[in-house]
Amino acid sequence: MAKKHGVFVYEEATALTVPRESSAGLQVVIGTAPVNVLDDPSSAVNVPVLANSSVEAMAALGYSKDFKNYSLCQTMYVTANLYQVSPVVYINVLDPKKHKKAMEAKEVNVASLQAVVQEEGILKEGLTVKNGEAELKANEDYVLSFDSDGYLVVTLLAAGGAAEATSLTVSGNMVDPAAVTKDDIIGGYDVSTGAESGMEVIRKVYPKLGVVPGILIAPGWSYEPEVGIALSAKAANINGVFKAMAFVDIDTAKAKKYTDVKEVKEKSGFTSEFCCSIWPCFMVGEMILSGSAVAAARTAYLDASNEDIPSNPPSNKSLAITGTCLADGTEVVLDQDQATEVGEYGAVTAFNMNGFRLWGNHTGAWPASGDAKDIWINVRRMFNWQGNTFILTYFDRVDDPMNPVLIENVVDSENIRCAAYAPAHWAGASIEYLEADNPTTDILAGRMTFRQHIAPYTPAETINNILNYDTDMLAATLTGGE
């Protein structure tokens, strides 16, 4: 060994594992967007798109105020104008190669070398532009763009052959959002190509983007029983390990009044503990938004203001809306008793109490289940968050030698991490390694089991104050205290 002379420093491996937190409120939104406005619309079909702001989302997928046909834009609007929350993952299923229709030839006037075709959804690919009978050439006679309303703008080039034109005839194809079906939203796996679509793309969110889904929504679609059930099933098992919550909508065409909610919810199959059902729709001015889009964003905003931990129940939190309604625009006015009744059906609603507020604490599992970890929204989300965080934190320990050092590392790291969240976010949490859970047969098979106890707070749904008439107090006052 070489001789040393001086002062030397040596480093030891850290005894504790640094936690990697899961983002409890990360929204993953499945639906349709006006991707025809993009330079390459096909690049935004059935792929997870991570947007750190609504501006990024609009640039990546397009934007339209037609929320019925372009359902992803609901979340873009809500996260831009109601709640500033990010990031959001968008999955667009509108495929211009599949969901399209022919556009009737339209004659448009030219002003200052520009002609605007005032219709959304026009595709650049396959477009024909004529000046009279003469067909013009793209990038020689004209260039194409879209304005902020999603309308196609044909700009004539001064050096082109139609600079003097006063009108143009435009024909071609346009996307057809009406051709999208619930089967496109649910999606599937193509065995011949290996391509995944719709909800199957949720699988790619973590391996591709490095973020774990927290809330799954499909505004404008999740009221369909097949869609809502499939979304809840996905939330229960993502990548074989992670868990999330599905925020789904109850069909307002069937549940037209609050007393209809229980039957429609149960007939829709929205009874999973990983499901949060919302009724009815929400209004902002004249705009009608799916309840799931608003409730999901509000919940994510609540998490963001709570150290990104889902311990705080979203119920009784203010909503930036102007009213509640059915999907057809019929106004719904609930009072506290009626809103509470909806909550007892295992659904979430909203009512006006000096401003609108979200109301209801139960997952879809209520009232059939009585398990506290499954019936309360915030408790269920805390279990999801803790499980996801544990997986992320200790994944690097997989395949390490199964020895006392590994056991001590996990137990000490977890107990220190969990203690930091008490009493603010839960009553307490602890983890232990028990011999009874780890028989020799499991050890030889390479399996080790820890047992963790967590105690998230349940919501204070009822606060009682018993008032009584104190006659002694009255008499003492009237008699001057004698």
Side-chain angles (χ1 to χ4, degrees), residues 7 17 37 53 121 129 144 159 163 181 187 240 273 278 365 373 401 440 471-472:
V7 178
T17 298
V37 303
S53 69
V129 179
L144 299 174
T181 68
E273 66 268 30
I278 295 95
K373 75 177 178 63
T440 302
T471 56
D472 292 338

Side-chain angles (χ1 to χ4, degrees), residues 93-429:
V93 305
L94 177 61
D95 187 349
K97 293 182 179 179
K98 176 183 176 182
H99 308 113
K100 66 178 181 178
K101 60 184 178 181
M103 178 184 73
E104 294 182 5
K106 298 182 181 298
E107 185 175 347
V108 288
N109 295 325
V110 177
S112 301
L113 294 177
Q114 286 192 332
V116 180
V117 186
Q118 296 187 2
E119 188 162 358
E120 288 187 82
I122 298 174
L123 289 163
K124 291 181 181 179
E125 185 178 357
L127 195 73
T128 299
V129 179
K130 291 184 177 182
N131 178 20
E133 295 300 319
E135 184 173 337
L136 306 182
K137 295 182 179 180
N139 300 320
E140 291 185 16
D141 298 316
Y142 65 90
V143 292
L144 299 174
S145 61
F146 290 91
D147 64 16
S148 59
D149 293 317
Y151 296 155
L152 181 72
V153 179
V154 182
T155 301
L156 297 174
L157 300 176
E164 302 301 323
T166 58
S167 67
L168 300 172
T169 301
V170 180
S171 60
N173 295 306
M174 56 197 308
V175 293
D176 185 10
V180 178
T181 68
K182 57 189 174 185
D183 292 331
D184 294 307
I185 300 295
I186 296 169
Y189 175 78
D190 190 325
V191 294
S192 62
T193 65
E196 294 162 306
S197 62
M199 292 182 199
E200 293 301 314
V201 179
I202 296 171
R203 183 197 67 79
K204 295 182 178 180
V205 172
Y206 181 70
K208 187 177 178 67
L209 303 176
V211 292
V212 178
I215 300 174
L216 308 181
I217 59 173
W221 291 97
S222 62
Y223 69 89
E224 297 273 8
E226 299 93 329
V227 174
I229 291 172
L231 202 64
S232 301
K234 291 296 182 187
N237 187 355
I238 300 172
N239 302 123
V241 289
F242 300 121
K243 290 179 171 57
M245 287 292 291
F247 281 37
V248 303
D249 296 289
I250 292 175
D251 191 350
T252 62
K254 297 176 181 176
K256 295 185 177 182
K257 54 186 184 297
Y258 80 96
T259 51
D260 298 332
V261 171
K262 184 178 188 295
E263 181 180 4
V264 176
K265 176 216 166 196
E266 292 173 355
K267 284 188 175 181
S268 297
F270 298 164
T271 55
S272 167
E273 66 268 30
F274 297 99
C275 165
C276 174
S277 307
I278 295 95
W279 181 89
C281 299
F282 297 156
M283 293 187 297
V284 177
E286 296 182 354
M287 288 185 293
I288 298 175
L289 299 163
S290 296
S292 61
V294 177
R298 183 64 180 92
T299 302
Y301 182 81
L302 177 64
D303 292 347
S305 61
N306 193 42
E307 300 182 272
D308 200 23
I309 299 174
S311 59
N312 204 338
S315 182
N316 201 24
K317 303 303 185 290
S318 61
L319 289 175
I321 62 173
T322 59
T324 55
C325 66
L326 306 181
D328 63 8
T330 302
E331 186 179 19
V332 173
V333 180
L334 300 179
D335 61 22
Q336 185 175 338
D337 279 347
Q338 294 170 333
T340 299
E341 190 69 18
V342 172
E344 285 304 298
Y345 300 151
V348 173
T349 188
F351 78 105
N352 191 352
M353 182 79 165
N354 296 319
F356 282 90
R357 55 192 65 221
L358 212 58
W359 198 250
N361 282 301
H362 289 127
T363 69
W366 177 265
S369 173
D371 191 331
K373 75 177 178 63
D374 291 332
I375 63 173
W376 301 110
I377 293 171
N378 71 305
V379 174
R380 179 65 260 167
R381 295 186 69 230
M382 282 294 285
F383 268 78
N384 293 353
W385 171 79
Q386 171 58 24
N388 293 347
T389 297
F390 186 89
I391 291 165
L392 294 173
T393 299
Y394 299 103
F395 189 82
D396 286 345
R397 293 290 179 261
V398 173
D399 295 331
D400 280 2
M402 193 189 303
N403 57 27
V405 174
L406 176 58
I407 296 171
E408 184 178 342
N409 175 270
V410 174
V411 171
D412 289 350
S413 298
E414 267 301 280
N415 283 331
I416 290 172
R417 185 187 72 84
C418 291
Y421 299 121
H425 298 292
W426 51 27

